[in-house]
Amino acid sequence: MSAATRRLTTAQALVRFLSAQYTERDGVRHRLVAGTWGVFGHGNVAGIGQALVEYADAMPYHQGRNEQSMVHAAVGYARQLNRLSAQAVTTSIGPGATNLVTGAALATINRLPVLLLPGDYFASHAADPLLQQLEHPVEADVSVNDTLRPVSRYFDRITRPEALIASALNAMRVLADPAETGAVTLALPQDVQAEAYDWPERFFAERVWPVRRPAPDPAELAEAARLVRSARRPLIVAGGGVHHSGAEGALRALVDATGIPVASTQAGKGSLRHDHPADLGGIGHTGTAVADDLARTADLVIGVGTRYSDFTTASGTLFQHPDVRFLNLNITAFDAHKLAARTLVCDARTGLEQLAGALAGHRVDPSHEAGYRAGKERWERVVEAALRAGDEDAVPTQTQVLGALDAVAGDEDVVINAAGSLPGDLHKLWRSRSPRQYHLEYGYSCMGYEIPAAIGVQQAAPGTPVWALVGDGTYLMMPTELVTAVQEGLPVKVILIQNHGYASIGGLSESVGAERFGTAYRHRAADGTFTGAPLPVDLAANAASLGMDVLRAKTVRELRAALAAARAADRPTCVYVETDPAPTAPPAEAWWDVPVAEAASREAARRARREYDRRAAARRRHL
């Protein structure tokens, strides 16, 4: 071996390369790939598995139980660190690889970086077909890993060792690029993983990837300032890009100077602290009354780091001012141009700072400011009543669970959720006290996300109390990573809410004429009919069997005490509570389009269709 090369296997070279990659933003350096999750099988055990043993001092390894869960953990980690650091996930071929698809979709939809390293067939076809190989009759180069192509921001199959050099650099480029990031997949044929090659030493040199803060175009900035100055009822919609950019301070400064109110998407909640006078809470289908009322009359909507999902726009029915215009500040032109908006294609923090400078001396009309502040005060009374109402010695409602957690949590705590009825209640009612306290995965709203994501967040923020809020439905999807929390010694706190079914979809089913069919957990009798009795399952006992400390709470009073004990615990702890299933949160303030059967014999569906047609008539195409 010459001084300029190093003979390693492809897998060894990849691990060494990854251990020397860094991001840098604002003069602060972060490890780009800080660790690797893995479940080993015949597609990666002799390649990546051996390389992780070889370089254990350079690349931390974390053992998972489910491949999808490992991606969720990595996503939680990356989000907590504002996308400046990521983790890798390695799997075998076959089901190990295809289990990555859901997690990859979640990462890419939410614009969060994760590196996927699935095993693949033999590039040489020496063993063909091998165990778990998909054989395609006309495309011999296809494998199950091709299912990852549409959900990845970058994909390559490394069929020769030397091909890794260019591909690995491209993978890092995408992971570190705030406008391009998402899931990145390097499919690794298992024979190539183990093949040796003389690698250039420069491939393993420390490399720093700058995370850019592009500034807005001067002409776009001038036009943006003109639009804001001419608006009578402007509204800012804060999305996840505010957090990713670390732009909370810049947003607050702009709002303090101009008086423009702020409503937030699920990803953007916490961009302003809840008690800031201009913070109106969530917007859209799960939004607050004050935010949605203002959205209907806003003549200028300023989107900051949002991709405008249908929940945010109420499926195109929310922004109803006849002359409403949109101004979108986003690091991606793709999102900035939505809703026929005028654009500021730039970093959120940089753009907000420059927009504030261009608006020096401007402030909204006092009547606009007085109106939204009065609306905020009215909504705060609604929130307080929902969180605090009820008998202390009664079975808690779901909103009382949130109220009990609100009373116990500190400003630094992180609350994680993704699916079910909780996202709607949280978006309306949770009072965020710090930028990263509210962690809702609602781009993909993936059941099973919460527990593994809590593990990733806990890894990224040691010493921070991290709460995973899960209903029985999402718990039953993916509880096994509780074992990982125990194994890793991570003191995550799980609030397990038992309401005997799919509460969110049950309500939706009823509203669209499907009569709650298939949404409750009930016994099936010998004659095939379902009884009214709940299933005789004990999810608390299940959590305990997986190594968690479990605290059972039957009343609001007991719940508050259990939450306080869990927060103080230094090992994984589950608080189990069976709730009154009756909905107690304020109803939806805006519509969501779920198509209803246009023809049906049952009255429930016919009635739902009439309501659907009435609501859909309010949809607008913003041009």
Side-chain angles (χ1 to χ4, degrees):
M1 184 177 71
S2 73
T5 62
R6 188 185 310 185
R7 189 162 183 79
L8 301 173
T9 69
T10 303
Q12 291 166 355
L14 177 58
V15 171
R16 288 301 303 175
F17 170 83
L18 294 177
S19 70
Q21 308 303 303
Y22 295 84
T23 63
E24 185 173 275
R25 186 172 75 178
D26 304 329
V28 180
R29 187 173 294 190
H30 305 263
R31 177 84 173 260
L32 177 49
V33 180
T36 298
W37 289 93
V39 172
F40 292 111
H42 75 93
N44 64 342
V45 65
I48 293 292
Q50 190 282 326
L52 288 170
V53 173
E54 190 91 10
Y55 299 115
D57 58 333
M59 178 60 68
Y61 166 70
H62 310 291
Q63 184 182 59
R65 269 75 205 167
N66 176 283
E67 292 85 0
Q68 178 182 322
S69 290
M70 294 191 297
V71 184
H72 293 337
V75 166
Y77 179 91
R79 176 171 171 169
Q80 182 67 21
L81 295 176
N82 290 339
R83 307 191 299 192
L84 297 171
S85 187
Q87 293 176 322
V89 178
T90 180
T91 73
S92 65
I93 73 169
T98 51
N99 280 350
L100 294 173
V101 174
T102 297
L106 181 148
T108 296
I109 286 170
N110 286 285
R111 320 294 207 262
L112 291 165
V114 61
L115 176 61
L116 307 180
L117 304 173
D120 214 322
Y121 57 62
F122 281 44
S124 66
H125 291 273
D128 189 37
L130 71 157
L131 178 66
Q132 299 179 327
Q133 181 178 344
L134 172 73
E135 293 182 275
H136 194 286
V138 296
E139 294 180 280
D141 61 339
V142 166
S143 82
V144 296
N145 284 325
D146 288 277
T147 60
L148 289 161
R149 288 181 184 271
V151 293
S152 296
R153 294 293 292 172
Y154 179 81
F155 179 99
D156 196 10
R157 179 174 286 113
I158 311 302
T159 57
R160 290 292 309 143
E162 59 268 32
L164 177 66
I165 296 174
S167 189
L169 292 169
N170 272 321
M172 298 303 102
R173 172 187 59 80
V174 174
L175 288 174
D177 188 332
E180 293 292 327
T181 197
V184 168
T185 301
L186 299 181
L188 301 170
Q190 55 185 301
D191 54 345
V192 177
Q193 288 182 50
E195 187 175 343
Y197 181 74
D198 292 331
W199 301 89
E201 280 287 351
R202 288 178 60 85
F203 185 58
F204 307 114
E206 186 175 289
R207 194 180 301 268
V208 178
W209 300 85
V211 179
R212 297 182 292 276
R213 288 195 180 278
D217 176 82
E220 285 193 339
L221 181 62
E223 174 63 10
R226 185 194 69 78
L227 285 172
V228 176
R229 288 181 180 276
S230 64
R232 296 183 58 81
R233 296 181 60 80
L235 170 67
I236 292 172
V237 175
V242 175
H243 293 309
H244 299 326
S245 175
E248 298 89 355
L251 176 64
R252 185 174 61 252
L254 173 68
V255 170
D256 288 343
T258 64
I260 301 172
V262 176
S264 55
T265 69
Q266 288 279 15
K269 193 172 171 74
S271 295
L272 286 184
R273 188 179 157 97
H274 76 92
D275 52 5
H276 190 286
D279 180 65
L280 308 184
I283 191 170
H285 177 63
T286 53
T288 68
V290 58
D292 285 352
D293 284 347
L294 191 56
R296 292 184 183 97
T297 61
D299 59 353
L300 178 66
V301 179
I302 307 167
V304 183
T306 178
R307 62 189 189 91
Y308 286 111
S309 77
D310 61 341
F311 260 55
T312 299
T313 67
S315 300
T317 64
L318 185 58
F319 304 111
Q320 287 296 323
H321 189 288
D323 299 315
V324 65
R325 301 296 292 171
F326 294 86
L327 169 64
N328 291 339
L329 190 164
N330 205 292
I331 200 164
T332 70
F334 178 83
D335 289 316
H337 281 276
K338 289 177 178 176
L339 302 176
R342 298 297 178 93
T343 62
L344 280 175
V345 181
C346 58
D347 168 71
R349 194 184 79 179
T350 302
L352 288 169
E353 289 172 345
Q354 294 197 14
L355 182 59
L359 292 172
H362 174 72
R363 194 164 184 90
V364 299
D365 189 278
S367 63
H368 183 43
E369 196 166 358
Y372 73 68
R373 289 194 178 200
K376 177 180 174 67
E377 290 177 4
R378 290 192 298 272
W379 182 254
E380 284 299 321
R381 292 194 289 271
V382 173
V383 172
E384 187 65 23
L387 296 181
R388 306 292 180 226
D391 182 355
E392 286 279 299
D393 295 311
V395 173
T397 63
Q398 185 161 281
T399 53
Q400 286 176 312
V401 172
L402 300 184
L405 181 58
D406 175 76
V408 168
D411 288 9
E412 69 276 20
D413 293 28
V414 179
V415 176
I416 300 174
N417 186 241
S421 58
L422 277 164
D425 292 358
L426 285 160
H427 201 205
K428 293 187 191 79
L429 301 175
W430 187 259
R431 301 188 282 205
S432 298
R433 288 168 271 175
S434 60
R436 276 293 174 214
Q437 181 174 78
Y438 187 88
H439 183 128
L440 260 286
E441 189 289 295
Y442 218 57
Y444 211 40
S445 188
C446 186
M447 295 178 73
Y449 172 82
E450 295 89 344
I451 292 171
I455 292 170
V457 171
Q458 193 75 82
Q459 289 178 323
T464 297
V466 179
W467 302 87
L469 275 63
V470 297
D472 50 2
T474 195
Y475 179 84
L476 287 168
M477 286 273 183
M478 207 166 292
T480 50
E481 295 309 319
L482 293 178
V483 176
T484 303
V486 172
Q487 177 174 312
E488 296 268 337
L490 298 170
V492 297
K493 296 95 174 56
V494 175
I495 303 177
L496 175 51
I497 300 173
Q498 170 66 279
N499 58 17
H500 302 289
Y502 302 113
S504 174
I505 296 302
L508 177 63
S509 174
E510 185 173 24
S511 72
V512 299
E515 303 175 47
R516 293 185 176 265
F517 178 76
T519 63
Y521 300 154
R522 293 291 183 263
H523 278 291
R524 186 187 292 273
D527 62 0
T529 61
F530 287 99
T531 71
L535 296 177
V537 297
D538 189 341
L539 299 184
N542 176 261
S545 75
L546 296 176
M548 299 286 284
D549 288 346
V550 177
L551 305 172
R552 296 176 184 254
K554 294 183 178 180
T555 67
V556 175
R557 193 184 310 277
E558 291 178 3
L559 174 63
R560 191 171 290 115
L563 293 174
R567 188 174 189 275
D570 60 1
R571 69 179 313 277
T573 303
C574 173
V575 175
Y576 173 86
V577 58
E578 188 167 354
T579 58
D580 182 339
T584 52
E589 297 290 339
W591 189 54
W592 180 42
D593 187 350
V594 177
V596 177
E598 194 169 5
S601 61
R602 299 177 71 85
E603 176 55 28
R606 293 200 300 266
R607 184 170 57 249
R609 181 66 196 197
R610 290 192 294 271
E611 176 64 11
Y612 175 85
D613 290 339
R614 184 185 72 81
R615 293 278 197 163
R619 193 196 315 274
R620 292 184 62 181
R621 300 286 187 184
H622 297 286
L623 300 171

